[in-house]
Amino acid sequence: MSIHIVALGNEGDAFHQDNRPSGLIRTYLGRSPLVSGDESSLLLNATSAVARPVFTEYQASAFGNVKLVVHDCPVWDIFDSDWYTSRNLIGGADIIVIKYNVNDKFSFHEVKDDYIPVIKRALNSVPVIIAAVGTRQNEELPCTCPLCTSDRGSCVSTTEGIQLAKELGATYLELHSLDDFYIGKYFGGVLEYFMIQALNQKTSEKMKKRKMSNSFHGIRPPQLEQPEKMPVLKAEASHYNADLNNLLFCCQCVDVVFYNPDLKEAAEAHKIVLCAVSHVFMLLFNVKSPADIQDSSIIRTTQDLFAINRDPAFPGASQESPGNPPLRVIVKDALFCSCLSDILRFIYSGAFQWEELEEDIRKKFKDSGDVSNVIEKVKCILKTPGKFNCLRNCKTYQARKPLWFYNTSLKFFLNKPMLADVVFEIQGTTVPAHRAVLVARCEVMAAMFNGNYMEAKSVLIPVYGVSKETFLSFLEYLYTDSCCPAGIFQAMCLLICAEMYQVSRLQHICELFIITQLQSMPSRELASMNLDIVDLLKKAKFHHSDCLSTWLLHFIATNYLIFSQKPEFQDLSVEERSFVEKHRWPSNMYLKQLAEYRKYIHSRKCRCLVM
């Protein structure tokens, strides 16, 4: 017998993690006298470009012979990047622990607003413990005005924690430190109480099943074997930031060149990437006007740092391509310009690796004042209109998602003419796009735009064999590294488009979507749906989706009684039919034994235990 515990959240202080002690779960497993022999294994997120742990699995023994499996998930990103795994974790849990640090109010509200509703939908009468960890620092007195519904302190108040517990029907605990009293007696006592309740419930269910099996002493009913395990599909890791970073070094589709105050070339870049992370560049390249931004600090930063030069007598202007030469931008600040290559690499990598940027700048300047001056200018460039800039906020980006998700992103330019340098013609309509993004994210398009093809010199490019909706979904993935098909049919069309342009990760995403949709369908819906599963199988094979085609064969075999009654079942090839018959569930042997058992029951005029 085993108990499965899922712990969600980070109990550490987001701004003082260097000296943080061991986590709540690890400390409990190491100190509890009821737990022994714990082992841990670190599991990484397959969709993250950086190897960052999503959850740690601990296995131990509790109460002597009870297997204890704990999944400690400190990063909430699992609900965004791998919702299939997160749903299975929540659904299979016997106890859920949600933990947070009382001094990280920003993370608390982010979790409360974005992730708690997801957990509430997945809960199924599972006990929940909410653990508020830490001693509140610099806590201000809350407003006592009856019209105020929230305190103004920088810490998470007890009232907010209790309110969250009420929403989930959870038990609320405050752990001021991770010592023997709070871990062993306080947190451990509550957790072990729920562990005992879970064991009692499982024991009761086991006894009921045993009584049912022993209630009939004649011929026993046939045992239905479990269906074969379905093939496991592994998602391909994301290389979104790496693709954009490589674009900076390959110097393809460059449309802006930076020069130092001495008019010497300093760096090359792409307007679309710079505008995706900065309103300063949006203003510089006329994507937005000062009236749109309405932030004097951003306007002042643009004017103080950069100037556009369109002088035809500019040195080197005669060597520029006559068609559409890159825009020339003069960097007025010499110190900033000397670090421009490092700053561009920081921006193209996702604009969140602040510590690496600061280290690179320190290598160039001995004066700490110069380092702070350059860092402050970078912060001004990445500033969001109407919000204050502070070092605390910038370092918060390091512990959370890259800036692509918080500031303006490439999705802002999807299917919009701003900065577009190529137009696709599909089904009589046009879709504007940006060569730099397409070249960075798709090798086929990189070869198409940089080779000796018609598309390399043409602005209007026709697209055949794909609908506009499917192609827009394909572009959405290239721009944002994510997509959400409307259904199985659209996912299959998008898979075919991804195979045509050889974007393997998008193929895997579509495969996982189709599999998840089919797995979630009840038997009655499978029997009545109009989707031709055999046609889906043949399309998967034709477009080299081997993982999906293998899975669909197993799915047909596992649901043999449903699909064998459909007319399209006869369209299976001889080889496919042989595979399905061999792995069908339930098997022919079981159905024969069941028929004999029912015949015996009816002959004895007894009540059948199976049917």
Side-chain angles (χ1 to χ4, degrees):
M1 194 171 296
S2 63
I3 298 177
H4 183 200
I5 301 175
V6 173
L8 303 170
N10 186 359
E11 67 275 28
D13 191 334
F15 309 108
H16 302 86
Q17 291 186 354
D18 294 337
N19 300 319
R20 184 168 61 87
S22 298
L24 173 63
I25 298 299
R26 189 72 184 89
T27 305
Y28 168 75
L29 294 176
R31 295 184 180 182
S32 176
L34 300 179
V35 179
S36 61
D38 61 295
E39 298 178 357
S40 66
S41 60
L42 198 63
L43 301 182
L44 299 180
N45 184 358
T47 63
S48 177
V50 182
R52 186 170 61 173
V54 167
F55 59 79
T56 306
E57 179 179 296
Y58 299 98
Q59 294 189 7
S61 297
F63 307 113
N65 60 349
V66 177
K67 183 179 179 181
L68 183 63
V69 180
V70 183
H71 286 98
D72 189 8
C73 312
V75 181
W76 291 94
D77 291 3
I78 188 173
F79 287 93
D80 296 328
S81 60
D82 197 355
W83 58 273
Y84 179 79
T85 301
S86 62
R87 187 187 66 174
N88 289 342
L89 276 177
I90 298 296
D94 297 313
I95 303 170
I96 295 176
V97 179
I98 298 176
K99 44 197 172 69
Y100 63 88
N101 190 284
V102 295
N103 295 305
D104 194 358
K105 194 167 187 175
F106 181 88
S107 297
F108 175 83
H109 284 290
E110 182 183 34
V111 170
K112 181 181 178 182
D113 297 336
D114 297 341
Y115 301 110
I116 292 300
V118 179
I119 296 176
K120 287 175 68 175
R121 290 194 297 268
L123 283 178
N124 186 19
S125 303
V126 177
V128 179
I129 300 174
I130 294 182
V133 181
T135 304
R136 293 177 177 85
Q137 301 173 1
N138 303 324
E139 185 176 20
E140 301 173 4
L141 291 175
C143 181
T144 57
C145 173
L147 298 179
C148 292
T149 58
S150 63
D151 67 333
R152 302 182 183 180
S154 60
C155 304
V156 183
S157 66
T158 302
T159 304
E160 290 176 304
I162 294 175
Q163 183 63 34
L164 178 61
K166 287 182 179 179
E167 291 180 14
L168 294 174
T171 301
Y172 176 75
L173 303 177
E174 284 200 356
L175 310 176
H176 298 299
S177 64
L178 302 182
D179 57 16
D180 290 333
F181 173 79
Y182 285 102
I183 296 297
K185 295 182 180 179
Y186 194 23
F187 173 78
V190 175
L191 182 63
E192 286 154 14
Y193 168 80
F194 287 125
M195 289 165 61
I196 293 173
Q197 294 295 320
L199 286 174
N200 290 340
Q201 182 178 357
K202 291 186 176 183
T203 303
S204 176
E205 292 174 355
K206 189 175 181 179
M207 291 298 295
K208 288 181 180 179
K209 291 181 180 179
R210 185 176 298 175
K211 288 181 180 179
M212 288 294 294
S213 62
N214 294 333
S215 61
F216 185 76
H217 300 287
I219 297 178
R220 301 221 175 253
Q223 295 296 319
L224 179 61
E225 70 280 5
Q226 292 295 322
E228 292 188 12
K229 288 186 177 180
M230 305 292 284
V232 179
L233 271 72
K234 295 182 179 180
E236 182 180 335
S238 172
H239 37 77
Y240 183 69
N241 288 343
D243 287 343
L244 294 176
N245 201 22
N246 291 336
L247 179 65
L248 177 64
F249 294 103
C250 72
C251 298
Q252 294 179 348
C253 304
V254 169
D255 55 4
V256 59
V257 180
F258 291 96
Y259 293 85
N260 61 21
D262 297 330
L263 303 184
K264 292 183 180 180
E265 184 175 325
E268 297 177 329
H270 308 82
K271 296 178 186 177
I272 179 69
V273 178
L274 299 178
C275 291
V277 296
S278 171
H279 285 82
V280 168
F281 289 113
M282 280 189 174
L283 187 61
L284 181 66
F285 300 139
N286 295 322
V287 174
K288 286 188 176 182
S289 65
D292 296 328
I293 294 178
Q294 294 183 349
D295 192 313
S296 59
S297 64
I298 291 179
I299 298 173
R300 186 169 56 253
T301 300
T302 308
Q303 296 171 347
D304 293 344
L305 275 181
F306 306 108
I308 294 178
N309 184 292
R310 292 187 172 91
D311 187 2
F314 188 85
S318 58
Q319 284 79 25
E320 292 177 348
S321 58
N324 191 14
L327 183 68
R328 296 186 295 269
V329 176
I330 310 298
V331 182
K332 299 179 181 180
D333 191 309
L335 289 178
F336 185 88
C337 188
S338 64
C339 302
L340 187 58
S341 59
D342 299 317
I343 295 170
L344 288 177
R345 186 168 61 251
F346 164 75
I347 290 176
Y348 276 69
S349 299
F352 71 102
Q353 299 173 348
W354 287 93
E355 293 181 359
E356 293 183 13
L357 175 63
E358 189 171 354
E359 183 180 349
D360 291 337
I361 296 176
R362 287 187 187 279
K363 293 178 182 178
K364 296 188 176 182
F365 303 123
K366 294 182 180 180
D367 188 354
S368 60
D370 293 340
V371 175
S372 300
N373 185 25
V374 174
I375 289 292
E376 192 64 30
K377 284 182 171 59
V378 176
K379 287 161 51 182
C380 291
I381 288 176
L382 301 178
K383 181 179 182 293
T384 301
K387 293 186 178 180
F388 291 103
N389 254 350
C390 63
L391 187 61
R392 177 186 180 97
N393 286 340
C394 289
K395 287 193 173 180
T396 303
Y397 294 145
Q398 181 85 13
R400 294 184 174 86
K401 300 176 185 177
L403 194 64
W404 306 111
F405 297 94
Y406 286 93
N407 206 343
T408 52
S409 67
L410 288 176
K411 190 173 183 179
F412 177 79
F413 299 91
L414 177 63
N415 195 23
K416 292 182 181 179
M418 296 176 297
L419 302 178
D421 52 5
V422 62
V423 177
F424 293 99
E425 186 178 19
I426 312 168
Q427 295 180 333
T429 60
T430 57
V431 176
H434 307 82
R435 291 175 186 260
V437 178
L438 304 179
V439 167
R441 298 282 288 139
C442 177
E443 293 182 0
V444 171
M445 289 195 175
M448 182 174 69
F449 288 129
N450 295 298
N452 296 321
Y453 300 99
M454 177 188 67
E455 291 83 359
K457 300 179 181 179
S458 176
V459 176
L460 186 63
I461 300 175
V463 177
Y464 304 103
V466 179
S467 68
K468 180 183 177 181
E469 291 74 16
T470 301
F471 194 74
L472 280 175
S473 296
F474 174 72
L475 289 181
E476 180 183 5
Y477 169 78
L478 296 185
Y479 277 66
T480 67
D481 202 41
S482 63
C483 65
C484 187
I488 294 177
F489 178 76
Q490 186 182 0
M492 194 67 208
C493 294
L494 187 56
L495 185 148
I496 294 172
C497 182
E499 190 267 341
M500 181 170 64
Y501 288 100
Q502 297 182 19
V503 183
S504 60
R505 184 169 181 268
L506 179 56
Q507 281 186 271
H508 292 155
I509 291 176
C510 294
E511 289 174 345
L512 285 172
F513 180 87
I514 293 172
I515 288 172
T516 304
Q517 291 292 308
L518 290 175
Q519 279 185 327
S520 63
M521 288 184 182
S523 299
R524 182 173 297 180
E525 188 175 352
L526 284 176
S528 60
M529 71 174 183
N530 295 324
L531 181 66
D532 189 338
I533 199 76
V534 178
D535 180 62
L536 203 65
L537 169 65
K538 293 187 179 300
K539 285 182 179 178
K541 281 191 172 184
F542 183 79
H543 293 283
H544 307 99
S545 182
D546 298 332
C547 295
L548 179 60
S549 61
T550 303
W551 188 91
L552 287 173
L553 273 177
H554 280 274
F555 186 69
I556 294 172
T558 303
N559 297 275
Y560 183 87
L561 296 180
I562 294 175
F563 292 116
S564 61
Q565 305 300 317
K566 291 179 175 286
E568 61 265 21
F569 187 78
Q570 307 301 323
D571 297 334
L572 289 171
S573 65
V574 176
E575 182 182 356
E576 293 166 348
R577 186 72 172 266
S578 175
F579 179 90
V580 170
E581 293 291 346
K582 179 180 179 181
H583 298 86
R584 58 172 289 180
W585 186 87
S587 64
N588 266 326
M589 179 65 68
Y590 172 79
L591 294 178
K592 290 179 180 178
Q593 292 175 352
L594 181 61
E596 294 176 358
Y597 176 75
R598 293 182 65 187
K599 184 178 179 181
Y600 170 79
I601 291 297
H602 288 300
S603 66
R604 297 288 301 272
K605 296 183 180 180
C606 299
R607 183 179 179 183
C608 177
L609 296 178
V610 178
M611 305 302 293

